[in-house]
Amino acid sequence: MGTENELQVDLGHLLAFDPYHSFSPLPSSRDELVNECLRKGTELVQAIADRLFHLPSTEDINGPIVKLPPPTTKLPREKHLPKPKPPTKWEQFAKAKGIKKRKKDKIVWDEQTGAWKRRHGYDRVNDDEDVPIIEAKITDVPGEDPFAKRREEKKKRVEKQEKNRLSNLKQAAKVGALPSHVQLAATALPITGTQAVPEKVTKDELGNVAGLASTATASGGKFDKKLPGEKPAKKRGKHRKFLPVVEGSGIGGQEKEQTENVLRKIMSKNSHEMLNIDKAVSVYNVKKEKKRRNQQGQSSTSSKLKPDAKPMKRKNKPNEKPAKGGGSFKKGNSNRKYS
């Protein structure tokens, strides 16, 4: 185990290393190894912190600030040095003619509007939209719109610049020196361009992709515009047929038939899972018994709450003799007269 003086500390990289470290007893388990590594790492970080506090510092609002010395340890690169980009056609032409690139000001005086404007971008100097009148030339064709002609020329210039940019990127891709942002956005190549350029897609593969794209609509590409020279798709799969949107004769019957077919398939395939006859019968019996008990409970409670009803006297029908002992007169009242 090395002491603090034996540790190699490089404050430029905030790096510390103990060249004399060795495990005195070999760790018998992974937990012991992890604990030993954590203890040694804590010791190295503490050595870096001690060296930092010995450096001269300046006071700031957020606290003391120290300036790290230049690093002394040479660390290897993870990636190799990027390849230089090949010169573009304009760079080759400028080098051959001795044209040197000079820096231009971003703000330029505009004589048309009498104000300072940017050289490029929105509201730039010498903008075509700010010119109200264009002087005619001898070479102009009579009846031709000069504003439309200027817009057309600008469009052609933009297309030419875009074409040149793409050609420069293709040339850089062959060498393997594409810019990093182009590689990340457009290709699967790494930043350093170490992988080879992917092979070109064959004609048959392009045809298959175009056929899939053309038939990826509801109409199967029937109403899509065809490119010049495009052949019809070879593989035409079956597409779903939907009922018409507008209701007419037989629409309700067709929908009912489709629904019944779907239910019939489901019932036939999963009938043993969906319907359990024994369970259905037991559930029905339980519900029936519960309903009967509820009715009995209601009848018993209603009979307890209601008062006892008096028995009603039976009325004699006409031409019927009164029953024995069932007269309406009381016995023992012989002095009462009847009319």
Side-chain angles (χ1 to χ4, degrees):
M1 178 155 321
T3 60
E4 186 177 354
N5 296 329
E6 296 175 351
L7 298 177
Q8 296 180 2
V9 181
D10 184 3
L11 292 180
H13 288 306
L14 296 178
L15 176 67
F17 177 68
D18 186 3
Y20 304 103
H21 177 264
S22 62
F23 294 103
S24 50
L26 292 176
S28 59
S29 63
R30 185 175 179 82
D31 295 336
E32 292 182 5
L33 178 62
V34 170
N35 294 332
E36 179 65 21
C37 292
L38 290 175
R39 189 191 63 77
K40 190 61 182 178
T42 306
E43 181 182 348
L44 295 174
V45 172
Q46 185 65 39
I48 295 174
D50 294 341
R51 298 289 182 88
L52 286 175
F53 278 98
H54 284 84
L55 292 176
S57 61
T58 57
E59 293 297 331
D60 190 70
I61 301 175
N62 300 324
I65 297 177
V66 297
K67 184 177 180 181
L68 298 178
T72 58
T73 306
K74 293 183 179 180
L75 299 177
R77 286 176 58 91
E78 181 184 1
K79 308 289 184 181
H80 60 77
L81 291 174
K83 298 180 181 179
K85 292 191 299 181
T88 61
K89 290 184 178 181
W90 165 251
E91 291 175 351
Q92 294 176 359
F93 176 78
K95 185 177 180 181
K97 296 295 183 180
I99 301 174
K100 296 182 179 180
K101 186 177 180 181
R102 53 190 178 86
K103 189 175 181 181
K104 298 180 181 179
D105 297 331
K106 294 183 179 180
I107 304 298
V108 185
W109 177 258
D110 188 8
E111 296 181 356
Q112 298 177 3
T113 58
W116 292 93
K117 291 188 176 183
R118 297 183 181 90
R119 187 181 294 274
H120 304 288
Y122 175 74
D123 195 18
R124 61 186 178 276
V125 68
N126 298 329
D127 193 359
D128 297 341
E129 302 296 335
D130 296 338
V131 180
I133 300 173
I134 300 177
E135 295 182 2
K137 299 180 181 178
I138 301 175
T139 56
D140 291 345
V141 179
E144 186 179 15
D145 188 1
F147 295 97
K149 183 181 178 181
R150 181 174 289 188
R151 287 193 295 269
E152 187 67 24
E153 291 176 353
K154 180 181 177 181
K155 185 178 180 181
K156 291 181 180 179
R157 288 197 306 270
V158 172
E159 291 177 354
K160 185 179 179 180
Q161 292 174 359
E162 182 65 17
K163 185 178 179 181
N164 294 338
R165 187 183 71 85
L166 294 177
S167 63
N168 293 332
L169 289 176
K170 289 180 180 179
Q171 186 179 359
K174 292 179 181 179
V175 183
L178 274 176
S180 59
H181 64 280
V182 177
Q183 290 180 1
L184 292 174
T187 65
L189 296 175
I191 296 177
T192 55
T194 54
Q195 287 187 1
V197 181
E199 298 180 358
K200 293 183 178 180
V201 184
T202 60
K203 185 178 180 181
D204 296 336
E205 292 176 352
L206 288 175
N208 294 336
V209 173
L212 291 174
S214 63
T215 57
T217 57
S219 62
K222 182 178 180 181
F223 304 103
D224 297 343
K225 294 182 180 179
K226 302 294 183 182
L227 297 175
E230 182 181 358
K231 297 181 181 180
K234 296 181 182 179
K235 298 180 181 180
R236 290 184 174 273
K238 295 183 179 180
H239 297 273
R240 293 178 59 188
K241 294 182 179 180
F242 298 93
L243 295 176
V245 179
V246 182
E247 294 186 0
S249 59
I251 298 298
Q254 293 180 13
E255 290 182 353
K256 184 178 180 180
E257 184 179 357
Q258 287 184 355
T259 307
E260 290 179 353
N261 292 334
V262 173
L263 291 175
R264 194 179 300 111
K265 289 181 180 179
I266 295 174
M267 295 286 287
S268 61
K269 289 182 180 179
N270 304 322
S271 60
H272 62 285
E273 298 178 0
M274 295 178 61
L275 299 178
N276 191 342
I277 299 175
D278 297 336
K279 186 176 181 180
V281 171
S282 61
V283 170
Y284 174 76
N285 292 335
V286 168
K287 289 184 177 180
K288 187 176 180 181
E289 182 67 19
K290 189 175 182 180
K291 184 177 180 181
R292 186 181 63 81
R293 290 178 180 178
N294 292 337
Q295 290 178 355
Q296 289 181 355
Q298 291 177 1
S299 61
S300 61
T301 53
S302 61
S303 60
K304 291 179 181 179
L305 294 175
K306 291 182 179 179
D308 295 336
K310 294 181 180 180
M312 298 180 65
K313 293 181 180 181
R314 181 173 178 273
K315 294 182 179 180
N316 295 331
K317 295 181 180 179
N319 302 325
E320 184 180 359
K321 295 181 179 180
K324 292 182 179 181
S328 57
F329 306 104
K330 294 182 180 181
K331 294 182 179 180
N333 191 3
S334 58
N335 297 326
R336 188 174 182 179
K337 296 182 180 179
Y338 302 94
S339 58

